[in-house]
Amino acid sequence: MSALVVLPGCAVSRGQSTVGQYVDDTAITTAVKARFVEAKSVDATAISVETLNGTVMLSGFAKNATERSSAESLARAVNGVKEVRNEIVVRM
């Protein structure tokens, strides 16, 4: 006689993300935020970072166009980033 054991899988309720994707996205977000803190050209407190499936979404406010483009460049340089959507608004 043999027994069949079925164990429930582990899932993350973030759309279709797997646990691995969720961890990767969290690591990317953390790395982008860390680069913002290290960079003197970007106000890390004024820019929000969200990551989903390797796509980074930047939002918030920049003092000028240079800060906006610097934030995007810093985000693109992070390992694992597939795409950057820059929704940062320049305050006039």
Side-chain angles (χ1 to χ4, degrees), residues 6-12 19:
V6 179
L7 298 174
C10 182
V12 175
V19 173

Side-chain angles (χ1 to χ4, degrees), residues 6-66:
V6 179
L7 298 174
C10 182
V12 175
S13 62
R14 191 173 179 208
Q16 298 295 318
S17 294
T18 65
V19 173
Q21 287 171 326
Y22 178 77
V23 170
D24 291 345
D25 287 344
T26 302
I28 290 170
T29 298
T30 301
V32 171
K33 288 180 178 180
R35 287 191 184 216
F36 287 178
V37 169
E38 292 168 0
K40 301 299 179 198
S41 60
V42 175
D43 182 358
T45 62
I47 299 171
S48 296
V49 180
E50 293 181 47
T51 308
L52 182 60
N53 298 327
T55 298
V56 175
M57 170 74 131
L58 303 176
S59 60
F61 298 96
K63 295 177 195 84
N64 52 48
T66 301

Side-chain angles (χ1 to χ4, degrees), residues 68-85:
R68 182 179 190 273
S69 63
S70 290
E72 183 174 340
S73 295
L74 289 167
R76 285 190 191 282
V78 170
N79 193 23
V81 172
K82 296 176 185 171
E83 180 183 351
V84 175
R85 294 192 180 159

